[in-house]
Amino acid sequence: AVHMQGCATLHAAQQGKPVDRKTRFFERRTLKCADGIRAASAFASQLTLKVLSISGRRPVVIPNPVDSALFAPDPAAVDPHEILFVGKLCELKGLSVLGQAIGGVFDRVPQARLIMVGHDTAEDGKSTKERFLSLVAEKHRSRIEFIERLTRAEVAGRMRRTGVFVLPSYAETFPLVVLEAMASGRPVVASNRGGIPEAVEDGRTGLLADPSRPESFTKALLELLQ
């Protein structure tokens, strides 16, 4: 049995990068030989089969589970002015989108703060964290806190406390972190890309924004923070 959460061929296709032929061969071979295939989202299922040129297979879609004992609401702990991001600091996660969007939020909500949980990565020889900060006005940078590593329980604690959770990714198959925020009773602003719309119903269970328009994230965050 094979679980499709995402594969190297899919990620390369999403980023417009060349695919390693040997990797694609083995990923395709693995799925073609599988007795059963499970996918985390319909998006992951359809796009993976497409980029690997596989037909005639019907994966079962079973979303990733959330530990609802660990990720649970605590209304008394909420800081309504805190914005939380959890994930690897890389461009695929929309760091430049957030960097362009957050200034408008800080200008309109003086108490707002941004917490960034995740380790930095180097892309094209440059720190993604530094590239992100270069997009933020210097007067606002003191309102951003970076936390490189947290335990699972500490992440759950952060989720319970945050005012709004944000995920501006360019591509996601089905991000567990969005479900964890929702399980914690926190509102979500996330991209309208990939498998995210399968988890977040825009205007009802969260707000979806377009990563090609950073101002749409500014607007959505302001709507919830205000």
Side-chain angles (χ1 to χ4, degrees):
V2 174
H3 170 60
M4 291 196 305
Q5 173 69 35
C7 64
T9 304
L10 173 61
H11 293 154
Q14 288 178 303
Q15 298 176 72
K17 295 182 178 179
V19 180
D20 179 74
R21 292 178 63 185
K22 186 182 294 185
T23 299
R24 184 181 187 278
F25 170 83
F26 281 109
E27 290 180 340
R28 187 171 189 270
R29 182 74 172 169
T30 299
L31 289 178
K32 288 181 70 69
C33 292
D35 295 308
I37 305 173
R38 167 199 166 189
S41 66
F43 169 82
S45 171
Q46 294 162 8
L47 193 56
T48 302
L49 295 181
K50 180 180 178 180
V51 298
L52 292 175
S53 303
I54 295 174
S55 59
R57 302 307 304 262
R58 294 185 177 180
V60 176
V61 176
I62 305 176
N64 293 323
V66 175
D67 184 348
S68 58
L70 184 60
F71 292 90
D74 184 3
V78 173
D79 179 344
H81 302 117
E82 183 178 293
I83 304 164
L84 177 66
F85 169 90
V86 177
K88 184 167 64 172
L89 304 188
C90 65
E91 189 50 36
L92 193 63
K93 294 289 184 182
L95 267 291
S96 64
V97 179
L98 189 54
Q100 295 174 73
I102 199 64
V105 176
F106 286 159
D107 285 337
R108 297 280 297 277
V109 184
Q111 307 97 319
R113 301 182 313 283
L114 174 62
I115 311 298
M116 306 281 288
V117 177
H119 66 274
D120 191 14
T121 61
E123 297 179 297
D124 299 324
K126 298 180 180 179
S127 160
T128 305
K129 174 183 173 181
E130 291 179 7
R131 186 182 290 115
F132 163 78
L133 284 173
S134 72
L135 297 169
V136 180
E138 190 171 350
K139 64 180 180 179
H140 292 323
R141 293 177 190 173
S142 62
R143 295 163 67 179
I144 302 173
E145 178 184 355
F146 291 92
I147 303 174
E148 186 169 340
R149 297 184 186 280
L150 291 178
T151 66
R152 198 85 176 138
E154 288 170 337
V155 170
R158 283 283 178 179
M159 286 288 192
R160 284 191 290 273
R161 289 196 298 273
T162 194
V164 182
F165 179 80
V166 63
L167 187 68
S169 300
Y170 284 106
E172 292 280 358
T173 51
F174 197 78
L176 183 60
V177 69
V178 166
L179 299 184
E180 290 171 344
M182 295 169 74
S184 302
R186 307 318 308 137
V188 171
V189 174
S191 295
N192 58 2
R193 302 284 181 89
I196 293 176
E198 295 177 47
V200 179
E201 183 180 344
D202 188 32
R204 183 171 180 271
T205 62
L207 295 179
L208 297 178
D210 184 352
S212 66
R213 296 190 302 112
E215 68 275 11
S216 67
F217 275 87
T218 302
K219 180 181 177 181
L221 287 168
L222 286 171
E223 182 176 339
L224 293 174
L225 289 170
Q226 294 177 331

